[in-house]
PDB file of all heavy atoms in Angstrom:
ATOM      1  N   ALA A  21      99.786 115.620 102.957  1.00 98.00           N
ATOM      2  CA  ALA A  21     100.007 116.658 101.935  1.00 98.00           C
ATOM      3  C   ALA A  21      99.114 116.365 100.730  1.00 98.00           C
ATOM      4  O   ALA A  21      98.475 117.262 100.176  1.00 98.00           O
ATOM      5  CB  ALA A  21     101.477 116.695 101.532  1.00 98.00           C
ATOM      6  N   GLN A  26      98.997 121.594 104.820  1.00 98.00           N
ATOM      7  CA  GLN A  26     100.365 122.122 104.873  1.00 98.00           C
ATOM      8  C   GLN A  26     101.129 121.275 105.881  1.00 98.00           C
ATOM      9  O   GLN A  26     100.608 121.029 106.971  1.00 98.00           O
ATOM     10  CB  GLN A  26     100.354 123.566 105.391  1.00 98.00           C
ATOM     11  CG  GLN A  26      99.919 124.599 104.393  1.00 98.00           C
ATOM     12  CD  GLN A  26     100.987 124.860 103.332  1.00 98.00           C
ATOM     13  OE1 GLN A  26     102.149 124.504 103.506  1.00 98.00           O
ATOM     14  NE2 GLN A  26     100.565 125.454 102.231  1.00 98.00           N
ATOM     15  N   SER A 121     102.909 107.028 116.840  1.00 88.00           N
ATOM     16  CA  SER A 121     103.813 105.902 117.103  1.00 88.00           C
ATOM     17  C   SER A 121     103.079 104.869 117.954  1.00 88.00           C
ATOM     18  O   SER A 121     102.121 105.200 118.648  1.00 88.00           O
ATOM     19  CB  SER A 121     105.032 106.334 117.907  1.00 88.00           C
ATOM     20  OG  SER A 121     105.438 107.627 117.613  1.00 88.00           O
ATOM     21  N   SER A 127     100.314 106.152 127.475  1.00 91.00           N
ATOM     22  CA  SER A 127     101.244 107.184 126.999  1.00 91.00           C
ATOM     23  C   SER A 127     100.546 108.499 126.728  1.00 91.00           C
ATOM     24  O   SER A 127     101.142 109.578 126.809  1.00 91.00           O
ATOM     25  CB  SER A 127     101.922 106.735 125.710  1.00 91.00           C
ATOM     26  OG  SER A 127     102.718 105.645 125.963  1.00 91.00           O
ATOM     27  N   ALA A 143      95.481 113.206 121.640  1.00 97.00           N
ATOM     28  CA  ALA A 143      94.684 112.089 121.106  1.00 97.00           C
ATOM     29  C   ALA A 143      95.625 110.966 120.682  1.00 97.00           C
ATOM     30  O   ALA A 143      96.828 111.173 120.536  1.00 97.00           O
ATOM     31  CB  ALA A 143      93.860 112.563 119.915  1.00 97.00           C
ATOM     32  N   PRO A 193      91.229 106.876 124.829  1.00 96.00           N
ATOM     33  CA  PRO A 193      92.658 106.741 124.488  1.00 96.00           C
ATOM     34  C   PRO A 193      93.242 105.357 124.780  1.00 96.00           C
ATOM     35  O   PRO A 193      93.975 104.810 123.950  1.00 96.00           O
ATOM     36  CB  PRO A 193      93.342 107.796 125.366  1.00 96.00           C
ATOM     37  CG  PRO A 193      92.278 108.744 125.758  1.00 96.00           C
ATOM     38  CD  PRO A 193      90.984 108.008 125.749  1.00 96.00           C
ATOM     39  N   VAL A 220     101.977  70.446 111.395  1.00 96.00           N
ATOM     40  CA  VAL A 220     101.013  69.342 111.564  1.00 96.00           C
ATOM     41  C   VAL A 220     100.839  68.607 110.232  1.00 96.00           C
ATOM     42  O   VAL A 220     100.813  67.378 110.184  1.00 96.00           O
ATOM     43  CB  VAL A 220      99.646  69.879 112.076  1.00 96.00           C
ATOM     44  CG1 VAL A 220      98.561  68.804 111.993  1.00 96.00           C
ATOM     45  CG2 VAL A 220      99.782  70.403 113.505  1.00 96.00           C
ATOM     46  N   PHE A 245      96.522  86.557 105.568  1.00 97.00           N
ATOM     47  CA  PHE A 245      97.487  86.257 106.624  1.00 97.00           C
ATOM     48  C   PHE A 245      97.456  84.788 107.053  1.00 97.00           C
ATOM     49  O   PHE A 245      97.541  84.460 108.229  1.00 97.00           O
ATOM     50  CB  PHE A 245      97.262  87.188 107.836  1.00 97.00           C
ATOM     51  CG  PHE A 245      98.307  88.265 107.909  1.00 97.00           C
ATOM     52  CD1 PHE A 245      98.341  89.254 106.946  1.00 97.00           C
ATOM     53  CD2 PHE A 245      99.274  88.271 108.894  1.00 97.00           C
ATOM     54  CE1 PHE A 245      99.321  90.240 106.968  1.00 97.00           C
ATOM     55  CE2 PHE A 245     100.268  89.247 108.926  1.00 97.00           C
ATOM     56  CZ  PHE A 245     100.281  90.230 107.960  1.00 97.00           C
ATOM     57  N   SER A 255     110.101  95.249 112.020  1.00 92.00           N
ATOM     58  CA  SER A 255     110.313  96.175 113.135  1.00 92.00           C
ATOM     59  C   SER A 255     109.093  96.259 114.044  1.00 92.00           C
ATOM     60  O   SER A 255     109.144  96.936 115.066  1.00 92.00           O
ATOM     61  CB  SER A 255     110.641  97.567 112.591  1.00 92.00           C
ATOM     62  OG  SER A 255     109.522  98.059 111.888  1.00 92.00           O
ATOM     63  N   GLY A 272     100.356  92.825 136.347  1.00 97.00           N
ATOM     64  CA  GLY A 272      99.998  91.654 137.139  1.00 97.00           C
ATOM     65  C   GLY A 272      99.343  90.531 136.354  1.00 97.00           C
ATOM     66  O   GLY A 272      98.877  89.548 136.925  1.00 97.00           O
ATOM     67  N   LEU A 312     118.166  83.018  98.933  1.00 98.00           N
ATOM     68  CA  LEU A 312     117.481  84.045  98.156  1.00 98.00           C
ATOM     69  C   LEU A 312     116.589  84.838  99.100  1.00 98.00           C
ATOM     70  O   LEU A 312     115.579  84.330  99.593  1.00 98.00           O
ATOM     71  CB  LEU A 312     116.658  83.398  97.032  1.00 98.00           C
ATOM     72  CG  LEU A 312     117.490  82.739  95.924  1.00 98.00           C
ATOM     73  CD1 LEU A 312     116.601  81.912  94.991  1.00 98.00           C
ATOM     74  CD2 LEU A 312     118.268  83.791  95.125  1.00 98.00           C
ATOM     75  N   LYS A 348     117.044  94.250  97.422  1.00 93.00           N
ATOM     76  CA  LYS A 348     117.085  95.570  98.084  1.00 93.00           C
ATOM     77  C   LYS A 348     117.897  95.595  99.384  1.00 93.00           C
ATOM     78  O   LYS A 348     118.483  96.618  99.732  1.00 93.00           O
ATOM     79  CB  LYS A 348     115.658  96.018  98.439  1.00 93.00           C
ATOM     80  CG  LYS A 348     114.827  96.425  97.243  1.00 93.00           C
ATOM     81  CD  LYS A 348     115.050  97.883  96.898  1.00 93.00           C
ATOM     82  CE  LYS A 348     114.243  98.290  95.697  1.00 93.00           C
ATOM     83  NZ  LYS A 348     115.007  98.835  94.604  1.00 93.00           N
ATOM     84  N   ILE A 353     127.130  90.029 107.949  1.00 93.00           N
ATOM     85  CA  ILE A 353     127.135  89.035 109.023  1.00 93.00           C
ATOM     86  C   ILE A 353     128.415  88.232 108.838  1.00 93.00           C
ATOM     87  O   ILE A 353     128.729  87.826 107.702  1.00 93.00           O
ATOM     88  CB  ILE A 353     125.911  88.084 108.906  1.00 93.00           C
ATOM     89  CG1 ILE A 353     124.602  88.862 109.066  1.00 93.00           C
ATOM     90  CG2 ILE A 353     125.994  86.939 109.908  1.00 93.00           C
ATOM     91  CD1 ILE A 353     123.365  88.011 108.831  1.00 93.00           C
ATOM     92  N   ASP A 370     125.063  73.465  97.489  1.00 98.00           N
ATOM     93  CA  ASP A 370     124.426  72.151  97.689  1.00 98.00           C
ATOM     94  C   ASP A 370     122.913  72.313  97.850  1.00 98.00           C
ATOM     95  O   ASP A 370     122.165  71.342  97.751  1.00 98.00           O
ATOM     96  CB  ASP A 370     124.970  71.517  98.970  1.00 98.00           C
ATOM     97  CG  ASP A 370     126.473  71.324  98.914  1.00 98.00           C
ATOM     98  OD1 ASP A 370     127.210  72.283  99.236  1.00 98.00           O
ATOM     99  OD2 ASP A 370     126.903  70.242  98.490  1.00 98.00           O
ATOM    100  N   LYS A 395     124.676  70.358  93.503  1.00 92.00           N
ATOM    101  CA  LYS A 395     123.577  69.388  93.503  1.00 92.00           C
ATOM    102  C   LYS A 395     122.279  70.205  93.508  1.00 92.00           C
ATOM    103  O   LYS A 395     122.126  71.076  94.366  1.00 92.00           O
ATOM    104  CB  LYS A 395     123.666  68.562  94.791  1.00 92.00           C
ATOM    105  CG  LYS A 395     122.716  67.406  94.874  1.00 92.00           C
ATOM    106  CD  LYS A 395     122.856  66.707  96.203  1.00 92.00           C
ATOM    107  CE  LYS A 395     122.240  67.494  97.317  1.00 92.00           C
ATOM    108  NZ  LYS A 395     121.058  67.231  97.937  1.00 92.00           N
ATOM    109  N   LEU A 431     104.620  59.137  96.210  1.00 42.00           N
ATOM    110  CA  LEU A 431     103.601  58.510  97.050  1.00 42.00           C
ATOM    111  C   LEU A 431     102.573  57.769  96.192  1.00 42.00           C
ATOM    112  O   LEU A 431     101.929  56.831  96.641  1.00 42.00           O
ATOM    113  CB  LEU A 431     102.864  59.582  97.871  1.00 42.00           C
ATOM    114  CG  LEU A 431     103.665  60.256  98.980  1.00 42.00           C
ATOM    115  CD1 LEU A 431     102.854  61.371  99.616  1.00 42.00           C
ATOM    116  CD2 LEU A 431     104.056  59.237 100.056  1.00 42.00           C
TER     117      LEU A 431
END
Side-chain angles (χ1 to χ4, degrees):
Q26 283 286 343
S121 327
S127 295
V220 169
F245 255 68
S255 65
L312 292 170
K348 288 274 179 237
I353 297 175
D370 300 85
K395 187 182 74 105
L431 290 175

